[in-house]
Amino acid sequence: MSEFWTTFGVDLYLEVDTATGRRSGLEHALRDAIRTGRLAPQARMPSTRKLAVELGLARGTVSAAYDQLIAEGYLTARRGSGTMVADFARPEPVPSTRPVPTASGSGPPPDAALPQGSPGGPAVPGQGRPDAAVPRYDLRPGSPDVGAFPSAAWLRSVRRALAATSAETYGYGDPRGRTELRAALAEYLGRTRGVLTTPEQIVVTSGYVQALALLTGVLGAAGVTEVAMEDPGLGFHREVVRRAGPAVVALPVDDHGVRADLLGGHRKAGAVVVTPAHQYPTGVTLHPARRHALTEWARVHDGLIVEDDYDGEFRYDRQPVGALQGMAPDHVAYVGSASKTLGPALRLGWMVLPHHLVGPVVDAKLHLDHHTEVIGQLALADLIATHGYDRHIRACRLRYRRRRDLLLARLGAVPGLAIHGVAAGLHAMISLPAGGPGEREVLGRASAYGLALGGLGDHWHHAGDHPQAIIVGYGTPREHVYPAALGALAHVLAQSGAAPRNG
């Protein structure tokens, strides 16, 4: 831990924790100074050269830290004006205590006594069904390489967790989730995703879908009649929201992410569901200006942003962009899961909730399934605490980056094709030439060849004249199959007239 006083215009105390790296420590220190208001909005930042000298750091380290905070929306940079602190409202130091009713009345507070001994990214269509045909090559999006599951590390964590636990572990659990996992997640999410939380604000779920259903059900019971969702986006998630009660309204996505400026036209919308880190299916990362617009809408209209941290851990051109939740923790419900990092079979997800939503969501969880499976929670808590989770994600990031690079090398120079969303995540969207072939033609040829792909057409809220594209998931295939799968893709595109016949 290093402590510095900087003197760029005013004295500023920065506590730079170099244990996680000089750049990471500086980013955290500056982010904390901005969040707490110690660096005021519109304050001019020193040049990278000057700050590097004052802190005894390399100029490149300071430049990288500035670039990261600009991408996250904490800083702004204009040619000729230097770097300044962004103008956005800081979270209030006192948590909100607004009551939000649920269908069964006011839910219990986070630490209320619970009854003892009482009973209880996207889905890939066709996967998991016993009647679904198994493709020869699977390049559908929505799944990691499950063959890379860290079995040995997981088994060690299970053994350690069970050796240290007591008999009560095997009884009915807390609907919020095990204390061990919530504490581990609070530390991990704060350290790696910039999430501001305490263990008391975290609710463990059986995945993203349950979290979305719980949240929108609570909002519907509280009087929210409409929820805005990205267009294009996953239709299955729209159906989850509709079944929970609220109607769904479309919010277009462009090259800068979701059109937050259009939220004002949906006056009945009390919440918006977004994927800032890596939008599905376009792959775009939400622009800093849009991040500010979303949080401003939430503050002005007392709305809720549901942040699906889709592919948040996997960024290849820079450090992963921090979570939107860190900018407005009382207006953002952050949702993550282990489905992409470890595997969907674990059925482990988590919500970081604004204080006023914890009680109602816990109450809804209690009456839905009482609690999430416990042994997996304990194992994941141990895996995170022993940093096995970090090591696994770093290894996966390198593996998926190699796959991304191979995809670009194979298809990037093909005339008429444009590949989007490759800076992060486990999928890419490939726009098809305007003159053909059509999306359905490519998907049909791929299916006949034993190749499974995703299509953009099914993701739009409404039918119409939309751009034609296919979606390629490079996380799904096993390592030894992936090159052949790319060869099959190149062949199908060639046969469809979208690529040279030599692939």
Side-chain angles (χ1 to χ4, degrees), residues 11-305:
D11 286 343
L12 177 69
Y13 176 76
L14 292 178
E15 189 176 70
V16 181
D17 186 355
T18 56
T20 58
R22 290 176 176 266
R23 188 186 73 180
S24 176
L26 177 58
E27 289 172 9
H28 178 81
L30 290 173
R31 195 183 288 118
D32 182 68
I34 295 170
R35 284 171 174 163
T36 58
R38 292 187 293 121
L39 275 174
Q42 300 300 313
R44 187 180 300 277
M45 299 294 293
S47 68
T48 55
R49 183 188 303 278
K50 183 175 181 180
L51 187 57
V53 170
E54 291 196 358
L55 299 183
L57 299 174
R59 186 181 180 187
T61 299
V62 178
S63 295
Y66 275 18
D67 288 344
Q68 181 67 22
L69 294 184
I70 289 170
E72 294 179 8
Y74 290 96
L75 299 177
T76 61
R78 295 187 180 91
R79 186 180 298 276
S81 300
T83 303
M84 302 176 70
V85 177
D87 188 7
F88 70 95
R90 271 60 181 168
E92 294 294 329
V94 179
S96 171
T97 56
R98 291 172 293 167
V100 177
T102 66
S104 58
S106 178
D111 293 310
L114 298 167
Q116 299 298 315
S118 58
V124 179
Q127 274 192 282
R129 293 205 319 256
D131 60 336
V134 178
R136 182 182 181 190
Y137 301 113
D138 194 348
L139 288 176
R140 290 174 292 185
S143 178
D145 180 359
V146 294
F149 182 83
S151 302
W154 184 261
L155 183 58
R156 288 193 295 269
S157 288
V158 170
R159 286 173 173 165
R160 282 193 296 264
L162 294 184
T165 196
S166 60
E168 58 86 19
T169 298
Y170 305 103
Y172 291 107
D174 189 332
R176 296 168 297 180
R178 290 288 303 194
T179 302
E180 298 92 333
L181 180 56
R182 289 187 286 121
L185 285 170
E187 183 277 332
Y188 173 79
L189 295 174
R191 171 168 53 84
T192 65
R193 306 295 299 125
V195 172
L196 297 177
T197 188
T198 63
E200 289 71 33
Q201 292 172 256
I202 297 177
V203 176
V204 179
T205 68
S206 61
Y208 173 75
V209 168
Q210 186 185 59
L212 183 62
L214 286 170
L215 274 171
T216 51
V218 165
L219 293 174
V224 172
T225 59
E226 291 184 354
V227 172
M229 301 186 74
E230 296 169 330
D231 186 20
L234 196 66
F236 179 69
H237 290 171
R238 295 195 291 269
E239 185 60 24
V240 169
V241 174
R242 291 190 186 103
R243 292 191 179 206
V248 172
V249 295
L251 203 59
V253 172
D254 62 19
D255 291 341
H256 295 297
V258 69
R259 288 286 305 277
D261 59 303
L262 299 180
L263 274 170
H266 300 290
R267 298 192 179 277
K268 294 182 179 179
V272 56
V273 182
V274 294
T275 50
H278 191 234
Q279 201 273 335
Y280 183 84
T282 66
V284 66
T285 298
L286 190 63
H287 190 275
R290 300 280 174 88
R291 292 165 72 98
H292 288 298
L294 274 176
T295 56
E296 181 67 15
W297 169 84
R299 285 192 302 272
V300 171
H301 297 277
D302 197 26
L304 180 73
I305 301 168

Side-chain angles (χ1 to χ4, degrees), residues 367-460:
H367 289 89
L368 178 66
D369 65 355
H370 198 293
H371 67 91
T372 300
E373 184 272 334
V374 168
I375 306 304
Q377 292 188 57
L378 293 174
L380 180 57
D382 180 88
L383 194 67
I384 294 173
T386 58
H387 302 297
Y389 193 62
D390 293 75
R391 290 189 292 272
H392 172 71
I393 288 176
R394 285 197 297 270
C396 287
R397 193 179 292 132
L398 291 173
R399 179 184 302 110
Y400 295 138
R401 178 170 183 164
R402 288 195 297 268
R403 294 189 181 194
R404 188 281 306 263
D405 291 346
L406 187 58
L407 172 71
L408 291 176
R410 196 68 186 263
L411 301 178
V414 174
L417 294 181
I419 304 178
H420 310 274
V422 294
L426 307 185
H427 79 273
M429 187 179 78
I430 301 179
S431 296
L432 297 173
E439 181 181 315
R440 292 301 171 189
E441 178 185 346
V442 173
L443 293 177
R445 287 182 178 273
S447 179
Y449 197 75
L451 172 64
L453 300 170
L456 181 60
D458 294 334
H459 293 79
W460 300 101

Side-chain angles (χ1 to χ4, degrees), residues 264-358:
H266 300 290
R267 298 192 179 277
K268 294 182 179 179
V272 56
V273 182
V274 294
T275 50
H278 191 234
Q279 201 273 335
Y280 183 84
T282 66
V284 66
T285 298
L286 190 63
H287 190 275
R290 300 280 174 88
R291 292 165 72 98
H292 288 298
L294 274 176
T295 56
E296 181 67 15
W297 169 84
R299 285 192 302 272
V300 171
H301 297 277
D302 197 26
L304 180 73
I305 301 168
V306 180
E307 179 178 11
D308 175 4
D309 197 23
Y310 188 76
D311 289 346
E313 298 87 353
F314 300 116
R315 180 90 187 191
Y316 309 122
D317 61 340
R318 64 183 312 134
Q319 182 179 347
V321 174
L324 183 66
Q325 189 268 1
M327 298 180 69
D330 202 39
H331 291 282
V332 178
Y334 171 93
V335 185
S337 81
S339 294
K340 285 294 194 67
T341 54
L342 292 171
L346 292 181
R347 307 313 306 142
L348 284 174
W350 43 85
M351 291 183 279
V352 176
L353 299 168
H355 290 274
H356 68 279
L357 284 178
V358 175

